[in-house]
Amino acid sequence: MERPLRLLMVCTANICRSPMAEGWARARGAEVRSGGIMGLEGRPADPLAIRVMGEMGVDISRHVSSGIAEDDMHWADHVLVMEMRHRVHLVHRHPDAIDKVLLLGQFGGKHELSDPVGGWRWRFRSSR
């Protein structure tokens, strides 16, 4: 049996976009982690992120924010980022990972996924 795909979801603070992406991918059987380039540790997911994922039957209420560790980068088959600046940051710090750092939005017909933090529920749904 083949092992599941290992995905690392990355955004800025790891409280909105990457926890939503992590929850969605996990619900579909992927082995997944998430983190933020800001290095924010120990924070829960934004309440609106929890709510809009709950609308899809995905529970991210136990999420706790973290940064990106060297081990996370090596562990992942693909590192999916929300914005080009996230990619630039990670490739600068981990040049050996250049081929596996990809923009998640490109898989859904978007270039970047804007940060919904501080916005209304519709912004979180759009990011979702």
Side-chain angles (χ1 to χ4, degrees):
M1 182 175 167
E2 226 177 275
R3 74 167 171 79
L5 193 59
R6 292 178 179 168
L7 303 174
L8 175 60
M9 306 296 189
V10 177
C11 69
T12 304
N14 190 226
I15 60 170
C16 296
R17 295 170 289 178
S18 56
M20 290 192 294
E22 177 185 13
W24 186 88
R26 182 171 285 119
R28 278 145 188 80
E31 218 174 299
V32 63
R33 297 178 185 175
S34 67
I37 63 168
M38 199 168 112
L40 188 63
E41 300 281 337
R43 302 290 291 273
D46 186 286
L48 285 175
I50 294 169
R51 178 179 268 170
V52 301
M53 292 308 292
E55 293 170 355
M56 299 177 64
V58 176
D59 182 8
I60 63 168
S61 64
R62 294 187 183 130
H63 174 78
V64 177
S65 67
S66 67
I68 308 295
E70 186 75 29
D71 177 62
D72 294 325
M73 294 298 292
H74 290 293
W75 170 86
D77 295 316
H78 299 289
V79 179
L80 301 170
V81 301
M82 308 301 151
E83 298 175 40
M84 184 58 78
R85 69 187 182 99
H86 301 144
R87 184 177 194 286
V88 169
H89 175 87
L90 291 175
V91 168
H92 177 74
R93 292 188 62 206
H94 309 279
D96 56 320
I98 191 168
D99 292 330
K100 64 179 173 180
V101 181
L102 309 166
L103 284 164
L104 178 60
Q106 290 181 324
F107 295 98
K110 294 184 174 187
H111 182 65
E112 295 185 320
L113 299 173
S114 62
D115 195 348
V117 72
W120 297 95
R121 192 179 314 174
W122 65 268
R123 284 188 60 192
F124 281 81
R125 286 180 179 140
S126 178
S127 289
R128 176 188 67 192

